[in-house]
Amino acid sequence: MGCGGCRVRFNFGKVLSKASVFFTIVLIFTYFFYCLTGLCDLAPRTLYSQKAADGGYDNLDKRSQVLVDQRPPPPLHPGAQLHNRTAYLDAPQVDAEEQLQQYEQGSEKEANIIPVSNTYGTKRLPNAIIIGVKKGGTRALLEFLRIHPDVRAFGAEPHFFDRFYDRGLEWYRNLMPRTLDGQITMEKTPSYFVTKEAPSRVCTMNCETKLIVVVRDPVMRAVSDYTQTLTKNPGLPSFQSLALKNSSTGLVDTTWSAVRISLYANHLENWLQYFPLSHFLFVSGERLVSDPAGEMGQVQDFLGLKRVISEKHFYFNQTKGFPCLKKPEGSSRPRCLGKSKGRPHPQIPSEVLQRLRDFYRPFNQRFYQMSGQDFGWD
């Protein structure tokens, strides 16, 4: 009887073991069948971190990232290299209010992405601002900076210090992405550089704010400015009729904004009344195209950041004629400004361009002296 009981218990144990193996196999088979039929896509996704192969990318604040992703890429001319390069600097400016609305509307589409950085960190006023200039390459600079894990930037142009100052600093602060200790908060609005009230307002916020100005050949900047306006208003008069008061005398009309913005020395003089020169970094729009890594090295040094952004982040797009960011891990395409068609500059008589170069020459020389840099535009 005792041995028979042992055999019963022994056989019962073997049955349990076989049943366990059988159910395990069934579960594994069900899991693979479930995934192969595509039903796994319906399952909730886990938290993720977007990183490049070298660790250069990190989670961006959802608000700023969605705003940038929804911004239409600037058009590019597929033809001549010169036009390609200038078009690269001509990324369209987007209003903050419009992009905030787009963010709210697009939040449902992004529901499968859990914004890690939206729940951590603190909203802070900017440590640094890209204050200008329009059509200089500010969008390219901001996109390059966003690679850095210690930089958090608002993707739109908030226009706080020129248009919405009456809304107060708390409104401005709430636009900013959340940052952790050691990270820099940034924004860019190129019109600040030419706004008379902006320097005093920025200083009222924080006189230690670091200021970045992206400058470009003033003549080509004016042409790019005109070209952008022309796309919105095809009935615009010719460039030469707007740039010159009188074609016979050749006098330049400095009341036209496209001409006035390129008077860098005059605008810098206004800013130097509130900030010392050491608070400024002047970035060459031309070198941002020809040597993006070198120019970004200086920007990182100025901001007190470790040099993370380097040659390995860029590749030169031969077709478009300018550098692009290599695609981050998990992305299907590189981050490259100007994916769509180009915006060719209108043909402008050479004598008009020369007249403008002669006009800007003394202002350029003064700007070189004030900034301590010769940008070689003459």
Side-chain angles (χ1 to χ4, degrees), residues 44-48 59 62 110-118:
R45 303 189 182 191
T46 58
L47 298 177
Y48 72 97
N59 283 314
K62 182 185 178 185
E110 301 295 325
N112 62 330
I113 299 177
I114 303 176
V116 177
S117 58
N118 239 16

Side-chain angles (χ1 to χ4, degrees), residues 20-38:
S20 176
V21 171
F22 174 77
F23 281 113
T24 301
I25 293 173
V26 170
L27 286 174
I28 293 173
F29 175 81
T30 303
Y31 173 79
F32 279 108
F33 176 80
Y34 184 73
C35 288
L36 288 173
T37 56

Side-chain angles (χ1 to χ4, degrees), residues 91-148:
Q93 313 302 326
V94 185
D95 184 77
E97 298 263 307
E98 177 184 350
Q99 289 207 2
L100 282 172
Q101 185 178 6
Q102 291 177 1
Y103 163 76
E104 298 298 341
Q105 293 173 347
S107 60
E108 292 184 2
K109 298 178 182 178
E110 301 295 325
N112 62 330
I113 299 177
I114 303 176
V116 177
S117 58
N118 239 16
T119 56
Y120 295 97
T122 305
K123 289 180 177 286
R124 298 181 174 93
L125 292 170
N127 312 91
I129 305 176
I130 302 173
I131 60 173
V133 297
K134 181 183 180 184
K135 299 293 144 211
T138 58
R139 173 56 62 186
L141 176 61
L142 186 70
E143 291 305 300
F144 293 169
L145 273 171
R146 288 167 73 96
I147 300 174
H148 203 292

Side-chain angles (χ1 to χ4, degrees), residues 130-206:
I130 302 173
I131 60 173
V133 297
K134 181 183 180 184
K135 299 293 144 211
T138 58
R139 173 56 62 186
L141 176 61
L142 186 70
E143 291 305 300
F144 293 169
L145 273 171
R146 288 167 73 96
I147 300 174
H148 203 292
D150 291 333
V151 172
R152 291 291 177 268
F154 182 61
E157 294 177 4
H159 285 280
F160 174 67
F161 295 106
D162 58 349
R163 299 182 191 172
F164 304 124
Y165 191 66
D166 59 339
R167 300 191 179 186
L169 284 173
E170 279 307 303
W171 177 86
Y172 183 50
R173 187 200 305 271
N174 285 330
L175 290 181
M176 297 300 116
R178 295 180 182 274
T179 55
L180 303 175
D181 291 342
Q183 292 181 323
I184 290 177
T185 303
M186 292 190 67
E187 69 114 321
K188 78 106 177 171
T189 305
S191 54
Y192 291 162
F193 190 59
V194 299
T195 301
K196 186 177 181 180
E197 301 80 11
S200 61
R201 291 172 175 177
V202 175
C203 190
T204 298
M205 177 189 72
N206 184 1

